[in-house]
Amino acid sequence: MRQKWREHAQAVKNFCRLWVLLALSCASPAVAAEFKVFSVGDGDTIRVTTPNGTNKTTVRLACIDAPETSQTPYGNDARQALQADLPIGTEVGLRTKATDRYGRTVAEVLKGTTNINQALVATGAAFVYWQYIEGCDRETYSRLENEARLKSLGIWAVPGGIQRAWDYRRGRKSVSGSNAPSNSASKPGYSGSRYRCKQIGSWAKAQELLKQGHSYLDGDGDGEACESLK
């Protein structure tokens, strides 16, 4: 009985996502598809390549903030939603907004005329990142988030929504800082300013470190850190 309920819930979720994508495809002007999706890191980060595959770029989806991978189960749900919207090899266009401090391209991602950033907000897979909304359509993002909240979709399944990803990260940094020894070199898994995959402890933590700029953890450049920990 429980399995049938889960299958029904997933079917409803897939239908809602398809409906949202169709609706958004009518609202966004097309952008030339100059890239192909190479990998999906988490709910708001992808890697793309040029058509010939020679240049790879990490893209942080602009104006949204998906739950962290360790925010179970919402972080994984967000990643799966992005993978469903952008299977490997999907041709996409970018509306670039900036380059962040980690060297990632911050952009809205368009598949044809569908704005993927807005689709993630509309289906409750991500929050609007109000602190960094500049350059995006504030009115549309606000409307889509409000509609997802009223429908209790995804991150809005609990009253008021789950803890915002930015607050979650701030809390983790605060706890980490208060527990850190004065000599950072004595921390397990820490060697100078570099972490080692086998000593990090979990795949989810590795993805967070990659997001924070520890790009050396992604040895093969596929947008995913420490695959050996999965």
Side-chain angles (χ1 to χ4, degrees):
M1 184 68 179
R2 183 176 297 178
Q3 180 62 30
K4 289 184 178 180
W5 183 88
R6 288 177 178 172
E7 292 175 354
H8 174 72
Q10 185 62 46
V12 171
K13 183 185 294 185
N14 291 340
F15 174 79
C16 291
R17 176 164 295 279
L18 177 60
W19 184 88
V20 167
L21 291 174
L22 289 173
L24 289 175
S25 69
C26 299
S28 300
V31 171
E34 300 174 346
F35 302 92
K36 287 187 176 182
V37 176
F38 179 70
S39 66
V40 174
D42 55 24
D44 53 31
T45 308
I46 63 174
R47 292 266 287 175
V48 299
T49 68
T50 47
N52 58 14
T54 56
N55 296 317
K56 297 183 177 66
T57 302
T58 300
V59 179
R60 171 62 166 84
L61 273 65
C63 303
I64 69 170
D65 201 9
E68 294 297 317
T69 305
S70 51
Q71 286 183 271
T72 309
Y74 302 99
N76 190 51
D77 287 347
R79 183 171 188 261
Q80 290 180 348
L82 189 52
Q83 288 175 322
D85 290 343
L86 297 178
I88 304 305
T90 299
E91 295 184 348
V92 297
L94 302 179
R95 286 182 184 158
T96 301
K97 310 297 181 182
T99 300
D100 69 10
R101 58 179 174 168
Y102 304 125
R104 300 176 300 185
T105 296
V106 180
E108 286 185 292
V109 179
L110 281 91
K111 181 172 68 173
T113 58
T114 300
N115 186 314
I116 298 300
N117 305 44
Q118 292 179 6
L120 293 171
V121 171
T123 54
F127 293 104
V128 176
Y129 207 169
W130 292 109
Q131 183 179 353
Y132 298 104
I133 192 64
E134 185 177 355
C136 291
D137 185 343
R138 175 184 291 268
E139 182 177 345
T140 296
Y141 278 89
S142 178
R143 174 178 57 80
L144 293 173
E145 183 172 70
N146 189 51
E147 290 175 353
R149 179 181 61 81
L150 293 174
K151 295 174 183 176
S152 300
L153 299 177
I155 53 179
W156 302 105
V158 298
I162 67 169
Q163 183 180 26
R164 299 335 187 230
W166 52 88
D167 289 333
Y168 178 80
R169 290 192 295 270
R170 188 181 302 117
R172 287 178 64 87
K173 287 180 181 178
S174 177
V175 171
S176 176
S178 64
N179 293 334
S182 57
N183 181 5
S184 62
S186 65
K187 291 173 59 179
Y190 197 91
S191 176
S193 60
R194 296 174 70 88
Y195 291 84
R196 297 176 182 175
C197 289
K198 64 181 180 180
Q199 296 171 316
I200 290 174
S202 74
W203 179 86
K205 178 62 177 176
Q207 307 321 302
E208 291 180 28
L209 290 171
L210 178 62
K211 201 170 184 179
Q212 293 170 17
H214 296 271
S215 57
Y216 56 86
L217 295 174
D218 179 17
D220 56 6
D222 67 350
E224 183 176 355
C226 301
E227 288 94 333
S228 61
L229 295 177
K230 295 180 70 174

